[in-house]
Amino acid sequence: MPGPLDGIRVVDVSAILAGPLATMMLADQGADVIKVEPPGIGDLLRLSPFRRGGMGAFFASGNRGKRSAVIDLRTPKGRDIVLELVKRADVFVQNFRPGACERLGIGEADLRKVRPDLIYVSVSGFGETGPYSDRRVYDPILQGITGHVAIQKNPDVPIPDLIRHVVVDKASAYTVAQAITAALFARERGAGGQHVRVAMIDVALAFLW
């Protein structure tokens, strides 16, 4: 039996976890997800440990149910291939640092020229503006900045500690997936293509309350 997102196509150029886990959930619900990776290693999460059959468990846990394509986005040919994919897509997901997609020619304005009602999704660490917007972000850093580490302190062992899994990445992925389905629903009601922007620091703060 087809899932509720049967017929929806997603082009996913994101890497590591917050973006890929979100699109994997869409694939679980029936969407056709095309994961685009660069030549060579591909998504760096492929290097994760606990490997079976040449694939890291961490990568497999965030990318099942997808089709894969190796495309060099830094080349004009690679850009043209992505534009062709987007022509027949409903959703485009990226988690590059702000400004990177525009430099590559796959920013929102570029893709709307070929698919005006596209749901364009930008996942960032610290948002698209502000003093930290161009910084790389990692889950432990966001845990520290947003108070997750401090709240783990045990009065019997008063040493702050991390939550021992990528809680911010995972919470961000669930937020992104829900926002995408909401944007698709809004488009069905005539709202047109939306630009979904999710900053992981905002998710971390909301998740911690």
Side-chain angles (χ1 to χ4, degrees):
M1 182 177 179
L5 294 183
D6 182 52
I8 296 295
R9 177 170 288 178
V10 180
V11 176
D12 177 14
V13 303
S14 68
I16 309 298
L17 198 62
L21 179 58
T23 59
M24 188 196 78
M25 287 187 276
L26 303 182
D28 287 347
Q29 295 169 11
D32 176 21
V33 179
I34 301 171
K35 181 177 176 67
V36 175
E37 298 179 65
I41 294 171
D43 187 335
L44 289 176
L45 207 60
R46 287 185 177 274
L47 299 177
S48 60
F50 310 111
R51 303 177 68 79
R52 294 291 185 275
M55 184 176 293
F58 213 175
F59 178 86
S61 295
N63 290 284
R64 66 170 178 263
K66 303 178 186 180
R67 296 192 287 160
S68 290
V70 175
I71 301 174
D72 191 345
L73 298 176
R74 298 168 296 181
T75 66
K77 182 179 180 181
R79 174 185 176 274
D80 290 345
I81 293 171
V82 168
L83 292 178
E84 284 299 316
L85 290 173
V86 168
K87 282 182 183 179
R88 300 182 296 278
D90 301 282
V91 180
F92 178 85
V93 180
Q94 60 91 5
N95 65 349
F96 300 153
R97 279 184 285 180
C101 281
E102 286 71 20
R103 292 191 293 271
L104 292 169
I106 55 172
E108 180 188 9
D110 302 302
L111 301 193
R112 291 215 183 279
K113 292 176 183 177
V114 298
R115 185 65 193 252
D117 64 348
L118 182 73
I119 307 301
Y120 190 99
V121 183
S122 299
V123 185
S124 63
F126 296 105
E128 298 179 18
T129 60
Y132 286 11
S133 60
D134 63 345
R135 294 190 180 189
R136 293 184 182 274
V137 69
Y138 302 96
D139 200 276
I141 293 172
L142 286 172
Q143 286 193 42
I145 290 174
T146 58
H148 283 67
V149 174
I151 207 170
Q152 298 305 304
K153 185 181 290 186
N154 182 334
D156 297 324
V157 186
I159 301 171
D161 198 3
L162 291 167
I163 298 172
R164 301 278 175 113
H165 62 92
V166 285
V167 61
V168 179
D169 273 281
K170 292 175 181 177
S172 297
Y174 280 90
T175 303
V176 170
Q178 190 279 327
I180 290 171
T181 54
L184 288 168
F185 185 60
R187 190 179 72 173
E188 287 297 306
R189 289 185 158 187
Q194 311 260 338
H195 189 163
V196 174
R197 295 175 171 90
V198 176
M200 294 173 67
I201 191 170
D202 293 341
V203 173
L205 287 166
F207 192 72
L208 181 62
W209 290 355

